[in-house]
Amino acid sequence: MSDISLKLDSTYTNLPDIFYTELSPVPVTNPEVVIFNQKLAEDIGLDLTQLNPQQKADLLAGNLIPDRCTPFAQAYAGHQFGNFTMLGDGRAIILGEHLSASGKRFDIQYKGSGRTPYSRGGDGRAALGPMLREYIISEAMHSLGIPTTRSLAVISTGEIVYRENELPGAILTRMASSHIRVGTFQFASLHQEKPICQALLDYTINRHFPDIQDNENKALSMLNRVMELQAELITHWMRVGFIHGVMNTDNMAICGETIDYGPCAFMDVFDPSTVFSSIDHQGRYAYANQPVMAHWNLARLAESLLPLIDEQREAAIELAEDSLKGFEKIYKSKWLAMMGTKLGLQDVEPGDEILITELLDLMHEYSADYTNTFRDLIKKEPPSNKLFLSDGFNQWHARWKNRLQEKNQVLESSFALMSSVNPCVIPRNHKVEEALHSAEGGNLEPFHNLLTALSDPYQENERNHAFQLPPESGAKTYQTFCGT
């Protein structure tokens, strides 16, 4: 232990001890700060200015544990690609909970911090490239206005990790509103002890949904709130062409934040069946399937909550099913409203869904770039590509312009709305890989240039032009991997 005090809390360890194991990170040989998110630290009031550079690196790597901190790894279960298994933090340890000046609580977690009782044969470590990748993507998601875990720092360890090749080791220090997952509730329900499930429910509601504490059926109320949050989150993903890639129940956070950035990627050419993950052979987590899988995961949460929804199982099932039936309507409403804004429609009306789907069908037919197409609609001089030169698009474009002007809606206001929700810059997969390749070789300049471009993704400027270009035609098909 050290004499450093960060005033971190640890309310999670008030739960029954089956939910966690207290242990410290495995020390690393030579921790050095690769990148530290000073803006994030300032925003949440996390002051590390009292530390010298080595203390800062030691703290962010887990070599230095502040006084009165009791680090722990969480236990949970989950359906992974539809198969249920016991899981837990196999390479992650929560240092504690930071309370911001506004009263918001954040977990501070080390990812790549060594073996835990839940490692299942893994080494508990992480490589530099994947940790920098999570830093880039999570911070890009934040700038895009999408709920997400945040990256506080990446620390090189001075050690080698062994995957297919020898790779430089690293630790990601990340922050989240919490790491409570659907899989955490699945884990609780396995014990078939109502007090254990009740303790987790009460804790989660107190931490995330205090306004429903006095509701008559708290379990059902929480299910409804989580359903609303997930519908909102998936709608955001669909807005920017994000594909999570591994929507297992252990990767669905109850707080509604995007969590875990292993095989995720962003879609270039619009294709609803797009999959990047090397192991998703059936397209289970393809772009278009994401709302379907969110609904499936919510059903697993509902199953875990049944004993708390009603003592009579049949009554509990009926209440849960009635609730889950509402997801499709909630999501459809959010999706239509979102797609309407992408087309500058301030209010979606009957018939607009046809206008939306016709454009998406044309984009698919002509292999149009998802991100750039919506930005190109705003331009006075549209590009001369196959989509914009087609008769089908020109007919659609005329109907769209007429729709915008139906209620004397000023085109400038429609374009301003479109500019606020359609990003110019996303983490293009080829640009991310270029930045990571350079960083692994010791050159962080491309990494920082990409971060700068992604920090203001809705602002058009000449400096970011290179980051808006899709990969060259004929480029190798992009593929992502879970084993990072």
Side-chain angles (χ1 to χ4, degrees):
M1 301 293 283
S2 78
D3 58 358
I4 293 172
S5 176
L6 289 181
K7 299 180 180 177
L8 297 180
D9 206 350
S10 187
T11 60
Y12 194 84
T13 54
N14 294 330
L15 285 168
D17 57 13
I18 63 164
F19 286 108
Y20 61 90
T21 298
E22 293 182 1
L23 77 165
S24 293
V26 179
V28 297
T29 303
N30 184 28
E32 292 185 8
V33 177
V34 177
I35 186 169
F36 177 71
N37 196 334
Q38 182 63 37
K39 179 67 165 57
L40 172 59
E42 291 173 358
D43 287 347
I44 64 173
L46 183 65
D47 184 7
L48 302 184
T49 57
Q50 78 274 25
L51 306 181
N52 64 44
Q54 190 56 59
Q55 287 175 318
K56 188 174 181 179
D58 285 337
L59 173 69
L60 294 170
N63 278 17
L64 188 63
I65 304 300
D67 290 336
R68 294 180 294 279
C69 281
T70 307
F72 63 92
Q74 290 180 318
Y76 47 85
H79 278 88
Q80 298 195 318
F81 288 87
N83 301 307
F84 186 77
T85 186
M86 296 295 289
L87 298 163
D89 289 331
R91 58 169 179 170
I93 289 176
I94 293 176
L95 174 65
E97 300 152 17
H98 169 72
L99 203 62
S100 71
S102 66
K104 186 169 174 57
R105 188 175 296 273
F106 298 92
D107 286 353
I108 299 179
Q109 185 192 64
Y110 302 118
K111 186 173 181 178
S113 52
R115 287 191 177 95
T116 76
Y118 316 110
S119 294
R120 298 184 297 165
D123 61 10
R125 292 305 192 189
L128 177 61
M131 297 303 95
L132 287 174
R133 190 171 190 272
E134 177 155 343
Y135 191 106
I136 288 176
I137 305 298
S138 62
E139 290 309 293
M141 294 286 274
H142 172 71
S143 296
L144 288 164
I146 301 173
T148 179
T149 56
R150 299 289 303 278
S151 294
L152 181 63
V154 174
I155 311 297
S156 62
T157 63
E159 300 174 355
I160 296 296
V161 296
Y162 299 92
R163 298 297 182 258
E164 291 184 354
N165 302 301
E166 293 184 356
L167 300 170
I171 290 172
L172 173 77
T173 308
R174 74 177 180 188
M175 307 193 73
S177 295
S178 86
H179 289 82
I180 304 169
R181 312 151 189 263
V182 169
T184 315
F185 280 88
Q186 291 180 290
F187 176 82
S189 70
L190 285 175
H191 293 79
Q192 299 182 340
E193 295 181 32
K194 189 173 180 180
I196 289 175
C197 297
Q198 188 69 55
L200 180 61
L201 176 71
D202 291 343
Y203 175 81
T204 304
I205 289 175
N206 182 60
R207 183 159 178 176
H208 293 299
F209 314 110
D211 58 308
I212 68 172
Q213 284 179 333
D214 296 328
N215 288 16
E216 183 176 351
N217 194 325
K218 293 192 291 185
L220 194 63
S221 296
M222 192 192 77
L223 175 62
N224 289 331
R225 289 293 293 277
V226 175
M227 189 161 62
E228 183 83 23
L229 289 172
Q230 291 299 324
E232 183 73 17
L233 180 63
I234 304 302
T235 300
H236 274 301
W237 291 0
M238 306 299 274
R239 174 172 64 85
V240 300
F242 174 76
I243 301 169
H244 186 279
V246 60
M247 289 180 65
N248 298 328
T249 56
D250 55 293
N251 288 336
M252 178 180 275
I254 296 297
C255 63
E257 293 177 345
T258 313
I259 186 171
D260 285 341
Y261 290 96
C264 71
F266 281 76
M267 182 168 56
D268 290 309
V269 170
F270 178 70
D271 182 347
S273 65
T274 300
V275 173
F276 292 106
S277 173
S278 63
I279 62 174
D280 191 0
H281 303 297
Q282 306 301 318
R284 179 180 176 87
Y285 299 139
Y287 174 78
N289 281 349
Q290 292 183 130
V292 176
M293 294 316 308
H295 193 194
W296 192 90
N297 288 349
L298 288 163
R300 308 291 77 76
L301 175 62
E303 289 171 353
S304 301
L305 292 172
L306 287 177
L308 305 178
I309 291 175
D310 196 286
E311 292 184 358
Q312 299 298 318
R313 184 171 176 82
E314 289 186 2
I317 290 173
E318 184 176 352
L319 288 168
E321 287 180 343
D322 285 345
S323 180
L324 290 167
K325 286 176 184 176
F327 178 81
E328 185 175 352
K329 183 178 180 180
I330 293 169
Y331 173 75
K332 184 69 174 292
S333 175
K334 290 181 180 294
W335 182 84
L336 282 174
M338 175 273 291
M339 290 302 300
T341 62
K342 285 180 75 68
L343 291 177
L345 306 177
Q346 295 175 353
D347 296 297
V348 176
E349 298 179 350
D352 287 340
E353 184 176 359
I354 294 175
L355 191 70
I356 292 166
T357 55
E358 283 181 347
L359 175 62
L360 294 176
D361 287 343
L362 285 165
M363 290 169 63
H364 189 198
E365 179 183 353
Y366 288 98
S367 300
D369 185 87
Y370 182 73
T371 299
N372 288 344
T373 296
F374 287 99
R375 293 296 301 200
D376 289 340
L377 289 172
I378 306 171
K379 295 178 179 177
K380 292 181 180 180
E381 295 294 332
S384 298
N385 59 35
K386 291 188 297 182
L387 171 64
F388 279 76
L389 293 174
S390 69
D391 290 338
F393 176 80
N394 288 324
Q395 293 169 13
W396 175 89
H397 192 267
R399 292 197 302 275
W400 172 59
K401 282 291 186 70
N402 288 335
R403 169 65 181 87
L404 289 180
Q405 296 171 329
E406 271 180 4
K407 295 185 176 181
N408 298 318
Q409 188 172 328
V410 180
L411 280 180
E412 285 72 16
S413 65
S414 294
F415 290 166
L417 176 60
M418 294 171 69
S419 296
S420 70
V421 299
N422 291 308
C424 309
V425 183
I426 59 169
R428 296 275 182 181
N429 305 319
H430 64 294
K431 300 304 290 186
V432 171
E433 293 305 316
E434 286 175 11
L436 296 183
H437 180 74
S438 293
E440 289 174 319
N443 178 13
L444 285 168
E445 184 177 359
F447 178 83
H448 287 292
N449 290 341
L450 179 56
L451 278 177
T452 299
L454 293 169
S455 67
D456 194 10
Y458 299 99
Q459 184 60 46
E460 193 91 46
N461 61 65
E462 189 63 31
R463 185 183 69 249
N464 292 339
H465 177 67
F467 298 102
Q468 295 175 245
L469 300 175
E472 294 181 2
S473 178
K476 183 180 177 181
T477 301
Y478 188 66
Q479 197 170 51
T480 57
F481 302 89
C482 286
T484 57

